[in-house]
Amino acid sequence: MVGVSAGGLISGTTSDRFGRRPTVVACIVLQMGSGLAAAFTTDYVALLVLRLLAGGAANGLFYVGLTLAIEVIGSSKRNVVGMTISLSWAVGTVFLGGLAYFLRDWWSLQLALAVMSAPLLSYWWLLPESPRWLLSNNRTKQAKISLQKAAKFNRVTIPDEVYEKVTKLKDKEPGEKSKYNLVDLFRGPGLRMITVTMSLVWFATVAVYYALIIGSADLAGDPYLNFVLGALLEIGLSLVGLVAMERWRRRPVVGGFLFLSGAACLAVAATPTERQDVIRYISLLGRCAIGVAFTTLTVYSPEVFPTVVRTMGVGVANMSSRAGGILSPFVSLLADV
């Protein structure tokens, strides 16, 4: 969790400074390199450090890639694309469960996961840079080339006047900044409110999410099957989130399902301990509600930050979320207080 937290913040900063595509490829290289090294290291401390780097790279790859995808498509398709990316995480988790079932020793599993990152290196040639990021950094020629490639791929023709309107370089205002840092997220009142709000929402969401997931470890039966079934549940929740966003938009879905999960947690606390059957069903309801809120929040977060600080903002919110993830295993200790 520490590596994932740091990875979100660092990748967000580098993505806004150097671009989405270079950051994605750097995360792929770091994920593959640290994974391979972890498979062959014989030192426990080195293994922890390498796993920390792998976690940070994987988190950066996911959220920077998500931001890039959202920036290169139209607003009408963002729900589908965002949820498809969230769905791919769940599908990958199902695959991980199956792979772990057949590769029972950690070395083989670690090596297999590291080697699987190798084909992603082709993204350096296949992945386009975000036109929004290019325009926000006054790289209008590169933005025009990127738009032309997209138009050619989609077999459409963009009139020259559209290019001129989209790629027209705006004159800078006196004192306007060309580079931004983390401090800028808290400088203006509007952006500061967005940053603080998203950080608190992410913290609470992930704390509840992992606290409820940890309880699944107590389920009877094969642990590999339980892991895969939990991942399959995530696939269903992603589809529910997609339908809900299409009908009610993002903010009501996030708020509504967070409220439902919180109500379920309170109901569990108020239920007598001898009614384990009732507690189990209410906990499952809370688990589903927080899952929908989590996947919806993943799509919603990049949209509320300006392009110039978008991945930095997502990185700060993600860092706060991992603090909740670190604390979640200790929530059960409150029952003994």
Side-chain angles (χ1 to χ4, degrees), residues 186-200:
F186 303 92
R187 199 179 298 278
L191 189 54
R192 180 168 58 247
M193 177 62 71
I194 291 174
T195 304
V196 173
T197 301
M198 294 304 294
S199 297
L200 292 175

Side-chain angles (χ1 to χ4, degrees), residues 199-235:
S199 297
L200 292 175
V201 171
W202 265 112
F203 174 86
T205 301
V206 171
V208 176
Y209 180 81
Y210 281 107
L212 293 175
I213 283 182
I214 289 171
S216 64
D218 299 329
L219 295 175
D222 185 84
Y224 296 96
L225 179 60
N226 291 339
F227 183 85
V228 172
L229 290 177
L232 290 173
L233 177 62
E234 292 294 328
I235 294 177

Side-chain angles (χ1 to χ4, degrees), residues 28-51:
I28 293 171
V29 172
L30 180 58
Q31 177 178 276
M32 183 177 67
S34 58
L36 288 172
F40 292 98
T41 186
T42 57
D43 182 73
Y44 179 67
V45 175
L47 175 64
L48 292 180
V49 173
L50 291 168
R51 292 292 297 168

Side-chain angles (χ1 to χ4, degrees), residues 6-309:
L9 184 62
I10 295 172
S11 64
T13 303
T14 56
S15 174
D16 285 333
R17 178 63 61 90
F18 302 108
R20 317 303 193 214
R21 187 173 69 113
T23 304
V24 166
V25 176
C27 288
I28 293 171
V29 172
L30 180 58
Q31 177 178 276
M32 183 177 67
S34 58
L36 288 172
F40 292 98
T41 186
T42 57
D43 182 73
Y44 179 67
V45 175
L47 175 64
L48 292 180
V49 173
L50 291 168
R51 292 292 297 168
L52 182 146
L53 293 174
N59 192 49
L61 175 59
F62 179 81
Y63 281 100
V64 176
L66 173 66
T67 301
L68 173 59
I70 288 177
E71 288 182 343
V72 299
I73 61 170
S75 58
S76 62
K77 301 295 189 298
R78 285 177 185 168
N79 285 347
V80 175
V81 171
M83 276 303 176
T84 300
I85 294 175
S86 295
L87 197 65
S88 68
W89 183 282
V91 172
T93 306
V94 173
F95 180 78
L96 173 61
L99 194 64
Y101 179 82
F102 291 103
L103 302 176
R104 294 301 180 96
D105 62 290
W106 75 270
W107 182 85
S108 299
L109 181 61
Q110 177 67 53
L111 184 62
L113 293 175
V115 172
M116 286 171 56
S117 300
L120 300 180
L121 295 174
S122 61
Y123 280 7
W124 178 257
W125 296 277
L126 299 177
L127 204 64
E129 182 55 271
S130 166
R132 291 179 182 271
W133 181 85
L134 291 171
L135 289 172
S136 67
N137 286 269
N138 295 329
R139 301 186 182 183
T140 54
K141 292 183 179 180
Q142 292 173 268
K144 184 175 181 179
I145 293 174
S146 180
L147 291 172
Q148 288 173 337
K149 289 181 178 179
K152 182 178 180 180
F153 181 82
N154 289 283
R155 298 179 181 179
V156 297
T157 301
I158 301 179
D160 291 336
E161 55 268 22
V162 174
Y163 281 121
E164 293 176 2
K165 183 180 295 186
V166 172
T167 63
K168 185 178 181 180
L169 181 61
K170 296 180 180 180
D171 295 330
K172 285 189 176 183
E173 298 292 337
E176 183 182 354
K177 297 178 63 172
S178 58
K179 300 296 180 182
Y180 296 83
N181 52 50
L182 293 173
V183 178
D184 292 301
L185 291 171
F186 303 92
R187 199 179 298 278
L191 189 54
R192 180 168 58 247
M193 177 62 71
I194 291 174
T195 304
V196 173
T197 301
M198 294 304 294
S199 297
L200 292 175
V201 171
W202 265 112
F203 174 86
T205 301
V206 171
V208 176
Y209 180 81
Y210 281 107
L212 293 175
I213 283 182
I214 289 171
S216 64
D218 299 329
L219 295 175
D222 185 84
Y224 296 96
L225 179 60
N226 291 339
F227 183 85
V228 172
L229 290 177
L232 290 173
L233 177 62
E234 292 294 328
I235 294 177
L237 296 179
S238 295
L239 296 176
V240 171
L242 174 59
V243 174
M245 282 197 299
E246 290 289 341
R247 184 175 181 83
W248 295 300
R249 310 298 293 175
R250 295 146 177 76
R251 189 167 61 176
V253 173
V254 172
F257 279 98
L258 282 177
F259 178 83
L260 181 59
S261 64
C265 290
L266 291 174
V268 168
T271 303
T273 55
E274 60 269 16
R275 298 302 305 274
Q276 288 298 314
D277 54 338
V278 177
I279 291 176
R280 188 178 299 111
Y281 289 123
I282 297 177
S283 297
L284 180 59
L285 175 62
R287 166 74 176 83
C288 293
I290 199 66
V292 175
F294 188 101
T295 55
T296 306
L297 196 58
T298 300
V299 180
Y300 181 44
S301 298
E303 296 182 335
V304 299
F305 291 99
T307 301
V308 291
V309 292

Side-chain angles (χ1 to χ4, degrees), residues 8 63 67 202 301-302 305 309-319:
Y63 281 100
T67 301
W202 265 112
S301 298
F305 291 99
V309 292
R310 177 166 289 130
T311 46
M312 273 194 291
V314 173
V316 169
N318 193 258
M319 182 178 68

